[in-house]
Amino acid sequence: MKIFCLILFLISSIISTSIAVEPPPETIYQNFLQCFTNQTKAPPNSLSDVVLPKTAAAFTPVLRAYIRNARFNTTATPKPAIVIAARSESHVQAAVICTKSLNIQLKTRSGGHDYEGVSYVSHVPFFVLDMSNLRNITVDPATESAWVGAGATLGEVYYRIWEKTKSHGFPAGVCPTVGAGGHISGGGYGNMIRKYGLSVDYVTDAKIVDVNGRVLDRKGMGEDLFWAINGGGGASFGVILAFKIKLVPVPPTVTVFRVEKNLDENAIDMVHKWQFVAPKTDPGLFMRLLLQPVTRNKNQTVRASVVALFLGNQNTVLSMLTKDFPELGLKKENCTEMTWIQSVMWWANNDNATQIKPEILLDRNPDSATFGKRKSDFVEKEITKEGLDFLFKKMIEVGKIGLVFNPYGGIMSEVATTKTPFPHRKKLYKIQHSMNWKDPGTEAETSFLQKAKSFYSYMAPFVTKNPRHTYINYRDLDIGVNTPGPNSYRVAEVFGRMYFGENFDRLVKVKTAVDPQNFFRDEQSIPTLPSNPPRR
């Protein structure tokens, strides 16, 4: 009988222990809500649209609204136990404090454009902190500055600037639905990069919630942390609430153009020459190059498109490129003069940009996702015509792949690579590998992901090496993911140096100082220093 009782006691102990380690979802929710209520001093019934368990009617719509990659919008995709739809700074503070108290992983999402879904997917128990309601933008033309909430979109930023001043803009991305918080904290760039540099070059202050739930501005956080969140990715260090940005002047008239050529129209000559002109021409001219396999007259070919913004009038850019880039064959009918805000809409694929109203930039287009995979590279030396011919043949062989060449030079080459965590300023140009598909299901996904990897291997001889550099805002989990254990630092160092080069070491030191327990962690977050750091 004693033995039987002992067995029962052991079984009940095991059960109670397992329950203590992994409480059921309802208990997690109740514990979190109680903590959240205590922290915010808000009655629980006032938080029904803020703290959303899986059983809440708003849970799925809020979660889906800013999932931008359909690969992570399936029934099999891991879901958070709770979504916190923050509506105030105090909600963010409480989210950090209470999630930490429960030892749950916290994922922070601004616009949801993380290419690998890292801001809203995890394979361990996790919560999502959705920042989309913290979208306030305050523009002050007198000081040529603005405060931008992390949940604002770039389209909203451009629109609010245009509302207050027609002679200013901001150097950031061309996709209007991208969230400002993630875009800027990863460096941020757009079609004024050669004239003005990166988005972070114009950040003068910031507000962040740290691991202890404190709201800190630049002075409060100190220059090391301020440096880290301006290009090192904010999610490793805290939750970005807002950035203060400096506006840049834009002329009353700008010029845009698009020129397309296929292989039988000397596309290789144009692409080859582009490498010598685009990174070295007038800093006010940004010429993006798009490469895509297409079928013309039942024959497979590659289409090369040059899409450009010039901060000036069409006669000036025509004269310049007729002389320096005859292979482009630019004609007056290719060019359209417009205002800067109209060019923002044109770059967002609105061909009728001179006829439509800028209010279109306020459209967040929620719950719209396509299947895709992205990779990126940097080029230091021009690719030969033979190399381009090889790549074009491989593009036709692989199919669906698209390449986007973004030229650097201009002011980018004049700024120290350690000024911000972004280390790639001296490169000739950046390449984005783009793979999109419409077919749902794991079979199609596996096939397309393998094609993306294959083309990435074909590109290897032509790009940077040791490390092969890549851009943090073009997230790519193929290059490595964090793993717990004694080798965690060395694993993270591999992809960390691909993203941040020599700046990785300083980022690790900042991380260790501000988040020593590594609460703000994800698949590719900055690691803390090991107890016995490697000698360099």
Side-chain angles (χ1 to χ4, degrees):
M1 184 70 180
K2 287 181 179 179
I3 294 173
F4 177 73
C5 290
L6 179 63
I7 291 171
L8 280 178
F9 172 76
L10 289 172
I11 290 172
S12 65
S13 297
I14 291 168
I15 292 171
S16 62
T17 301
S18 66
I19 291 173
V21 172
E22 293 186 27
E26 183 64 25
T27 304
I28 291 174
Y29 168 66
Q30 292 298 339
N31 290 346
F32 182 81
L33 184 62
Q34 182 63 56
C35 175
F36 201 92
T37 301
N38 293 341
Q39 291 294 327
T40 59
K41 305 293 189 289
N45 60 2
S46 71
L47 298 171
S48 59
D49 61 345
V50 176
V51 180
L52 307 173
K54 287 182 180 178
T55 53
F59 176 88
T60 298
V62 171
L63 179 63
R64 284 177 56 111
Y66 299 105
I67 293 177
R68 300 297 188 180
N69 191 334
R71 287 169 54 205
F72 310 111
N73 196 15
T74 69
T75 53
T77 303
K79 307 296 189 297
I82 295 172
V83 172
I84 304 109
R87 283 167 167 76
S88 68
E89 290 184 0
S90 65
H91 290 165
V92 177
Q93 292 174 277
V96 171
I97 292 168
C98 298
T99 306
K100 189 172 71 165
S101 73
L102 294 173
N103 196 28
I104 300 281
Q105 188 177 42
L106 183 65
K107 294 295 189 91
T108 303
R109 181 177 72 177
S110 295
H113 281 78
D114 186 299
Y115 285 143
E116 296 280 23
V118 167
S119 63
Y120 54 87
V121 175
S122 182
H123 293 279
V124 298
F126 72 109
F127 299 160
V128 165
L129 174 55
D130 185 282
M131 300 290 286
S132 61
N133 293 306
L134 296 177
R135 61 177 79 172
N136 190 53
I137 300 167
T138 307
V139 179
D140 183 2
T143 59
E144 300 182 315
S145 67
W147 272 101
V148 177
T153 64
L154 297 183
E156 290 164 353
V157 173
Y158 300 143
Y159 179 84
R160 298 304 173 196
I161 293 171
W162 171 81
E163 259 190 330
K164 293 292 181 70
T165 165
K166 306 299 185 277
S167 57
H168 291 87
F170 184 67
V174 300
C175 177
T177 58
V178 166
H183 181 76
I184 296 173
S185 66
Y189 85 97
N191 54 22
M192 295 196 290
I193 186 173
R194 304 187 63 255
K195 177 72 172 180
Y196 292 118
L198 302 173
S199 303
V200 288
D201 296 336
Y202 298 85
V203 173
T204 59
D205 203 346
K207 292 176 75 175
I208 186 173
V209 174
D210 75 353
V211 71
N212 297 310
R214 299 177 299 173
V215 175
L216 303 173
D217 62 5
R218 180 174 184 171
K219 184 178 179 182
M221 74 179 81
E223 288 303 302
D224 281 340
L225 180 52
F226 183 73
W227 174 86
I229 63 173
N230 278 285
S236 293
F237 305 98
V239 180
I240 306 291
L241 292 172
F243 285 108
K244 186 180 184 182
I245 59 173
K246 179 174 168 43
L247 309 183
V248 301
V250 294
T253 300
V254 304
T255 303
V256 299
F257 67 78
R258 175 189 290 266
V259 175
E260 297 180 351
K261 291 183 184 295
N262 297 327
L263 287 179
D264 61 354
E265 299 168 307
N266 298 317
I268 284 190
D269 291 341
M270 182 185 79
V271 173
H272 183 254
K273 183 65 172 289
W274 176 94
Q275 301 175 101
F276 294 87
V277 178
K280 297 169 186 174
T281 189
D282 185 310
L285 175 58
F286 178 83
M287 292 189 287
R288 170 174 278 182
L289 176 66
L290 310 174
L291 300 176
Q292 192 172 17
V294 295
T295 302
R296 289 291 176 268
N297 300 320
K298 298 184 179 179
N299 293 318
Q300 289 182 307
T301 184
V302 172
R303 180 178 64 210
S305 308
V306 173
V307 184
L309 170 71
F310 178 61
L311 299 172
N313 61 51
Q314 65 180 17
N315 289 337
T316 304
V317 72
L318 268 168
S319 174
M320 187 192 316
L321 294 181
T322 300
K323 175 175 174 288
D324 297 339
F325 196 5
E327 293 84 354
L328 180 64
L330 183 65
K331 298 179 176 64
K332 192 168 185 176
E333 54 264 33
N334 303 131
C335 301
T336 307
E337 291 184 343
M338 55 182 63
T339 64
W340 179 78
I341 197 68
Q342 288 171 339
S343 77
V344 170
M345 296 185 285
W346 187 86
W347 275 81
N349 298 316
N350 295 290
D351 292 333
N352 57 340
T354 56
Q355 274 86 48
I356 57 178
K357 292 183 177 181
E359 280 73 17
I360 195 172
L361 296 172
L362 301 177
D363 185 0
R364 289 181 159 237
N365 201 15
D367 200 7
S368 58
T370 55
F371 296 93
K373 172 68 181 177
R374 301 291 187 272
K375 290 176 170 293
S376 60
D377 275 308
F378 288 89
V379 175
E380 291 178 305
K381 182 175 173 50
E382 296 88 356
I383 302 172
T384 64
K385 287 185 180 181
E386 291 75 19
L388 291 172
D389 183 60
F390 167 80
L391 290 174
F392 284 11
K393 287 175 179 173
K394 288 299 182 183
M395 289 185 80
I396 291 171
E397 179 184 310
V398 168
K400 288 270 183 183
I401 191 77
L403 299 179
V404 183
F405 290 17
N406 293 290
Y408 281 6
I411 200 172
M412 285 290 280
S413 57
E414 300 171 13
V415 179
T417 56
T418 55
K419 184 196 173 189
T420 66
F422 182 94
H424 317 293
R425 294 176 189 266
K426 309 292 187 187
K427 303 297 185 287
L428 205 61
Y429 58 92
K430 177 178 65 186
I431 299 176
Q432 179 179 192
H433 304 232
S434 176
M435 183 76 75
N436 298 314
W437 64 94
K438 295 180 180 178
D439 318 326
T442 55
E443 188 175 331
E445 179 174 328
T446 301
S447 172
F448 285 113
L449 293 181
Q450 185 54 52
K451 288 179 178 181
K453 284 183 180 179
S454 295
F455 194 84
Y456 189 68
S457 68
Y458 302 145
M459 184 65 78
F462 309 106
V463 298
T464 55
K465 301 170 181 65
N466 302 316
R468 183 175 180 176
H469 290 290
T470 188
Y471 178 38
I472 184 64
N473 274 359
Y474 293 170
R475 178 89 65 188
D476 181 7
L477 295 185
D478 292 344
I479 66 174
V481 295
N482 281 314
T483 55
N487 294 320
S488 59
Y489 174 85
R490 293 193 179 280
V491 170
E493 186 180 22
V494 174
F495 61 79
R497 294 201 184 280
M498 293 176 74
Y499 284 135
F500 302 113
E502 62 182 318
N503 296 324
F504 175 74
D505 297 310
R506 185 177 176 188
L507 288 169
V508 170
K509 288 177 182 175
V510 176
K511 169 71 172 179
T512 305
V514 303
D515 185 20
Q517 301 304 313
N518 198 23
F519 171 69
F520 292 111
R521 64 194 183 275
D522 59 44
E523 288 74 5
Q524 287 188 336
S525 56
I526 300 295
T528 54
L529 270 172
S531 52
N532 296 306
R535 294 179 181 177
R536 297 196 61 78

